[in-house]
Amino acid sequence: MPPVQDGILLNWRPVPLFLEVHMFRVLVLDDSPERLEAFSKILKGCQARLVSTSKAARVALIEDEPFDLVCLDHDLGEFGAVRPGNGMEVAQFIARDMRDKIPRWVLIHSSNVPAAERMVYELDKSRISVMRSAYSTKMLKELSGWIKAMEG
């Protein structure tokens, strides 16, 4: 029975009939099929969008609902005539153009240390929550645990 004082329910709040469940939304930019596959395995319970070009990442940021987490690689390999861009283009896009849909967190997982540090700087100076951890199986395991903690 809820607490009652002088016939008034204390801390009473209506309970909605249908609770909206928020699925953790993640965008991953990486050119490696093996890495994208590994990300997809740890993101099974999330709404995940996996892309391999900076243009596809920017389109997802514009068209989709805001992401909780964006994971960015820097160096993207060439795909024939397709110019894949790089993660810095996406970091700058988030910092400069996404004011109304800024992701809650950005993870830079590039192994290119100088480029990763520049990406962190670009996001940090715009006061965007940014983390940096080079891609590894340990990073994936820690990321999986972190996402579970954020969801729960």
Side-chain angles (χ1 to χ4, degrees), residues 32-45:
S32 164
E34 293 82 16
R35 287 183 179 187
L36 290 174
E37 176 65 26
F39 272 109
S40 73
K41 286 179 181 175
I42 69 160
L43 300 173
K44 281 198 187 305

Side-chain angles (χ1 to χ4, degrees), residues 42-143:
I42 69 160
L43 300 173
K44 281 198 187 305
C46 302
Q47 284 184 314
R49 181 101 177 252
L50 310 174
V51 297
S52 57
T53 68
S54 63
K55 180 180 179 181
R58 291 190 311 268
V59 167
L61 286 163
I62 292 168
E63 292 181 351
D64 289 4
E65 293 296 315
F67 288 95
D68 297 300
L69 173 66
V70 174
C71 302
L72 300 174
D73 188 12
H74 180 273
D75 301 331
L76 304 175
E78 297 290 327
F79 300 103
V82 176
R83 182 186 168 278
N86 59 56
M88 176 58 91
E89 295 170 348
V90 180
Q92 290 172 335
F93 182 74
I94 292 169
R96 297 175 186 167
D97 301 321
M98 295 301 300
R99 289 290 158 220
D100 58 334
K101 291 174 69 175
I102 292 176
R104 290 169 63 191
W105 299 280
V106 177
L107 168 65
I108 308 299
H109 67 269
S110 178
S111 298
N112 179 335
V113 175
E117 288 175 355
R118 287 192 306 273
M119 292 168 69
V120 168
Y121 175 77
E122 186 72 31
L123 293 160
D124 195 48
K125 74 180 184 181
S126 295
R127 300 182 184 264
I128 294 169
S129 297
V130 61
M131 307 167 277
R132 183 178 168 278
S133 182
Y135 180 88
S136 67
T137 53
K138 180 182 177 192
M139 182 275 297
L140 286 174
K141 187 180 288 187
E142 289 173 357
L143 179 61

Side-chain angles (χ1 to χ4, degrees), residues 21-37:
V21 177
H22 174 77
M23 288 190 70
F24 205 76
R25 297 181 42 75
V26 182
L27 172 66
V28 178
L29 170 64
D30 202 302
D31 63 319
S32 164
E34 293 82 16
R35 287 183 179 187
L36 290 174
E37 176 65 26

Side-chain angles (χ1 to χ4, degrees), residues 13-20:
R13 291 185 198 108
V15 177
L17 293 176
F18 300 99
L19 296 176
E20 183 178 327

